[in-house]
Amino acid sequence: MKNIIYSIYIENKDSNLSEKHLFTKNQLEKHYDRLIDVKKKYADICNAEFVIYGDDDDYKEFKSKYKGYEFDLINLYKIYLWEKLGKKYNNVLYLDLDVVPNTNENFFDTFDMNKICVYAPNATIDIWSQEDKERYKKGKINFSKVISHKDKYDMYVKALCKKSMLAIDNKLDTDYLIANTAILGANSNAISKLKFTERLDSMIDVLNKSKKEKLFGEEVSKLFFANNEIFFHYLLDKDNIDWYNLPKEWHTYVMRKSDKISKELKSAKMIHLINKKFEELWTILWN
């Protein structure tokens, strides 16, 4: 069996980075070697090759081809690579650079690789802030007011975008699950069913139609945008592709800067450190 685990690191060279993005850039640079090392060690456990992709000629060619798209190119590139590697390898596992494997269990042996393996939280009204939920249920604020607190990256907004796109295809009774593509695993056969990259233009067309339709109102429709997670789960649902929702222990994410890095993380199999507080994580895991 030919297995591969891969990640991507392309330096953000924007000279006008926000404080948040500058912190992310500095943390990834500072902890790059250890982040690569933990993935190489995990690849050995999985009897897999490990490759880190960067700002090379292949990426430059890809960027030139897709530069006209309103899209986060790196997140598009990772799925492009996932599909490309699926034609060469039996099993493929993608990990965002800020994902830390913390297990001796072989991903490819643990899960059915005939299914696309990805963690997808259920992004219903339950993920709203407690204050918004209470005030909305009591009629003190309306839906538009709740949405005004959110940005386009909010998981609830992404779920509504997916549902709106599916409604354009006359799929109306749909859920609020939305894939988090920081960890993606499958075998070559499962990967081949997605056809994400070749259907990018058609998905953008459906997205634009859904924005005009304003199924959930204008306030939220204005936030809909071309996003890899929205499009990924749209295809899963549209074509009834067989997929498996990874247990949260295999995609435990720590999102907010205020979130504490606690000892409970020791029991997580894969830690997605979105807040980039790596020093605290290393202390918890290895001291």
Side-chain angles (χ1 to χ4, degrees):
M1 296 289 287
K2 291 171 64 178
N3 302 327
I4 186 168
I5 298 174
Y6 75 101
S7 192
I8 298 172
Y9 176 66
I10 296 172
E11 181 185 353
N12 190 338
K13 296 180 180 179
D14 191 335
S15 59
N16 295 308
L17 292 174
S18 66
E19 182 180 345
K20 176 183 176 181
H21 287 128
L22 183 60
F23 176 76
T24 293
K25 176 182 177 178
N26 290 339
Q27 287 296 96
L28 290 176
E29 287 178 353
K30 181 177 180 181
H31 298 279
Y32 175 85
D33 289 341
R34 181 169 277 188
L35 289 168
I36 295 301
D37 187 54
V38 294
K39 292 175 181 63
K40 285 180 177 178
K41 289 178 179 177
Y42 187 64
D44 288 341
I45 290 169
C46 296
N47 190 29
E49 181 181 347
F50 175 75
V51 177
I52 178 73
Y53 290 91
D55 190 8
D56 54 16
D57 289 341
D58 287 340
Y59 179 68
K60 287 180 173 64
E61 181 180 343
F62 175 87
K63 185 166 66 171
S64 176
K65 183 177 180 179
Y66 291 98
K67 64 183 178 182
Y69 289 76
E70 290 186 21
F71 214 100
D72 182 337
L73 281 178
I74 294 176
N75 280 317
L76 177 55
Y77 188 53
K78 74 182 182 186
I79 297 177
Y80 164 82
L81 287 174
W82 196 63
E83 294 180 312
K84 182 179 179 180
L85 293 169
K87 297 174 182 177
K88 181 180 177 182
Y89 292 86
N90 298 95
N91 296 305
V92 183
L93 175 62
Y94 169 76
L95 302 176
D96 268 3
L97 188 63
D98 58 2
V99 171
V100 177
N102 184 45
T103 180
N104 290 322
E105 295 180 40
N106 184 329
F107 188 96
F108 303 123
D109 290 341
T110 302
F111 301 107
D112 182 357
M113 292 292 101
N114 290 300
K115 300 179 181 181
I116 291 175
C117 297
V118 61
Y119 175 59
N122 193 21
T124 65
I125 187 175
D126 288 336
I127 71 167
W128 290 5
S129 71
Q130 192 62 36
E131 181 183 3
D132 277 348
K133 280 189 290 187
E134 289 178 1
R135 296 181 70 198
Y136 179 72
K137 289 176 180 178
K138 292 177 180 178
K140 293 183 177 180
I141 54 174
N142 59 23
F143 182 77
S144 294
K145 185 66 175 178
V146 174
I147 296 302
S148 70
H149 299 161
K150 301 182 181 301
D151 63 24
K152 65 182 183 178
Y153 295 103
D154 185 274
M155 293 299 282
Y156 179 74
V157 172
K158 289 181 182 180
L160 291 187
C161 184
K162 180 200 78 166
K163 287 171 68 66
S164 296
M165 289 177 66
L166 290 167
I168 297 297
D169 296 325
N170 293 315
K171 285 180 173 281
L172 302 175
D173 187 19
T174 54
D175 58 43
Y176 289 78
L177 295 171
I178 194 79
N180 186 314
T181 59
I183 300 172
L184 286 174
N187 66 18
S188 56
N189 181 56
I191 292 172
S192 70
K193 295 176 181 177
L194 195 67
K195 298 179 175 60
F196 184 102
T197 307
E198 70 181 66
R199 295 200 279 182
L200 187 58
D201 285 333
S202 65
M203 288 191 288
I204 289 175
D205 183 56
V206 174
L207 171 70
N208 289 332
K209 288 178 180 176
S210 73
K211 292 179 72 170
K212 291 179 181 178
E213 193 70 23
K214 301 176 185 176
L215 178 64
F216 295 102
E218 185 173 0
E219 194 73 30
V220 71
S221 298
K222 290 189 299 186
L223 298 175
F224 294 170
F225 75 115
N227 171 265
N228 75 99
E229 295 179 333
I230 295 168
F231 284 6
F232 194 95
H233 214 121
Y234 162 77
L235 290 178
L236 292 181
D237 289 352
K238 171 182 168 61
D239 294 337
N240 296 314
I241 296 172
D242 205 5
W243 69 285
Y244 177 70
N245 199 341
L246 290 170
K248 195 169 183 180
E249 64 180 354
W250 282 89
H251 191 155
T252 298
Y253 52 77
V254 185
M255 185 175 294
R256 299 174 187 84
K257 194 172 182 180
S258 59
D259 288 345
K260 293 183 179 180
I261 309 297
S262 64
K263 291 182 179 180
E264 284 72 23
L265 283 176
K266 281 191 170 186
S267 62
K269 310 287 187 183
M270 294 274 184
I271 303 164
H272 183 194
L273 206 65
I274 299 170
N275 67 9
K276 309 298 186 292
K277 294 162 73 171
F278 295 111
E279 287 95 346
E280 294 181 35
L281 181 64
W282 306 145
T283 300
I284 289 292
L285 293 184
W286 294 313
N287 285 347

